[in-house]
Amino acid sequence: MPEAAQHVGSGKVRELYALDDERLLLVASDRISTFDVVLPTEIPDKGCVLTGLSAFWFTRTRDVCRNHLLGLRADGRSTECRRLEMLPIECVVRGYLTGSAWNDYRARGEVCGHALPPGLLESERLPEPIFTPATKAQTGHDENITRAQAAELVGAGRLDEVERVCLELYRFGSEHAAARGILLADTKFELGLDDEGRLVLADEALTPDSSRFWPADEYEPGRPQPSFDKQFVRDYCEALDWDKAPPGPELPDDVVAGTRARYLEAFERLTEIPFAAYVDDPRVVLS
Ligand code: PZK
């Protein structure tokens, strides 16, 4: 645990500490959630995989946008980062029609004010990636908002910049991933402003917890897609008579092992770095 660091926040599977006035420590646990419930069983190394992947992307998208990364701790799961003024919106980019976008499209033929062609199938690739901002719900689910609503929250000029940067980050990540057999269906970015008012990418980025990763070789529009990382967990939970209210079920060893293997596979495919090399020295993802 961080010595002399103040705990300032908890996510479902992560903790945030203040190191000083300018720096935070973001610690990714091995906890896993499914159907919005954190399970009592951990997936060993999951926090390291997500931390290393985020740092890998931060390093490779420097030219697209500044980011909050200051350094990785030797434990592989802790990121020292610059403290920012966070923007009050979730910055979602979607390349495929799934989740709330599929629901909105079926109900209204549009998603966050983006008119889409008729006749699209569930999980179909969109003609172009779209930026679909959402509110940050303190509890419950984030709610999709229009561009106009997002502009009221951050300003029209800033929103233009945020949209352009997020689309470029998604394009970079999705092209890199697709070339390695992983489809990045959609992803959520969190951005903030530094003390000079410059836009900075924060939080985790382009990880399986902030995105939907689909195995490209099983992709078939017209149905929901299997999750690259969590499908064993979902299948196991669906086969129980669990009502998806807390507490969630314990996972058996084979589901833990299979899920851990999928996280490590995502890390190694995307970074082209052996996970053992990352554990040995997390700085391998920074060059
Ligand atoms: C920040 N979160 C979400 C993540 C939690 C909460 N660089 C930053 N500067 C200021 N604030 C944040 C960040 C980042 N990243 C991130 N909330 C605030 C969050 C993980 C655990 F408890």
Side-chain angles (χ1 to χ4, degrees), residues 19 23-26 68-73 78-82:
L19 295 173
R23 298 179 309 137
L24 299 175
L25 189 71
L26 191 53
H68 75 164
L69 174 69
L70 295 172
L72 292 174
R73 294 238 167 137
S78 305
T79 305
E80 295 185 3
C81 49
R82 194 175 306 286

Side-chain angles (χ1 to χ4, degrees), residues 154-175:
V154 303
R158 183 68 77 180
L159 186 65
D160 285 343
E161 184 190 6
V162 167
E163 175 171 30
R164 181 177 53 71
V165 162
C166 289
L167 287 170
E168 201 167 330
L169 290 168
Y170 174 80
R171 210 171 285 281
F172 180 90
S174 60
E175 285 176 9

Side-chain angles (χ1 to χ4, degrees), residues 7-17 22-28 58 67-69 80-86 136 190-193 200-204:
H7 187 246
V8 294
S10 289
K12 275 203 300 244
V13 301
R14 297 174 306 156
E15 306 295 335
L16 196 56
Y17 300 86
E22 277 115 49
R23 298 179 309 137
L24 299 175
L25 189 71
L26 191 53
V27 183
F58 286 142
N67 63 67
H68 75 164
L69 174 69
E80 295 185 3
C81 49
R82 194 175 306 286
R83 194 194 279 244
L84 307 168
E85 186 92 49
M86 299 302 290
K136 286 189 183 180
E190 301 248 16
L191 292 107
L193 305 179
V200 182
L201 178 61
D203 206 87
E204 61 180 326

Side-chain angles (χ1 to χ4, degrees), residues 116-173:
L116 295 175
L120 292 176
L121 301 176
E122 181 174 14
S123 308
E124 194 162 346
R125 188 180 173 148
L126 296 170
E128 292 288 341
I130 56 174
F131 175 69
T132 62
T135 58
K136 286 189 183 180
Q138 285 308 311
T139 61
H141 272 128
D142 298 340
E143 215 176 302
N144 288 343
I145 55 177
T146 62
R147 245 188 144 280
Q149 290 171 299
E152 279 181 40
L153 291 168
V154 303
R158 183 68 77 180
L159 186 65
D160 285 343
E161 184 190 6
V162 167
E163 175 171 30
R164 181 177 53 71
V165 162
C166 289
L167 287 170
E168 201 167 330
L169 290 168
Y170 174 80
R171 210 171 285 281
F172 180 90

Side-chain angles (χ1 to χ4, degrees), residues 28 43-60 72 75-77 79 176-177 180-182 184 204-209 213 228-229 258-287:
I43 307 299
D45 299 315
K46 172 176 176 282
C48 287
V49 165
L50 271 55
T51 298
L53 257 184
S54 282
F56 170 84
W57 294 117
F58 286 142
T59 301
R60 280 151 190 82
L72 292 174
D75 64 8
R77 68 174 68 251
T79 305
H176 180 96
R180 291 156 183 83
I182 295 174
L184 208 73
E204 61 180 326
L206 299 165
T207 70
D209 275 14
F213 283 17
F228 191 92
D229 44 298
T259 302
R260 177 176 179 276
R262 296 291 276 180
Y263 279 101
L264 268 52
E265 185 182 349
F267 178 94
E268 293 191 335
R269 275 213 221 174
L270 292 171
T271 67
E272 300 173 3
I273 296 168
F275 183 67
Y278 177 75
V279 170
D280 181 62
D281 183 355
R283 291 171 298 184
V284 291
V285 295
L286 301 181
S287 51

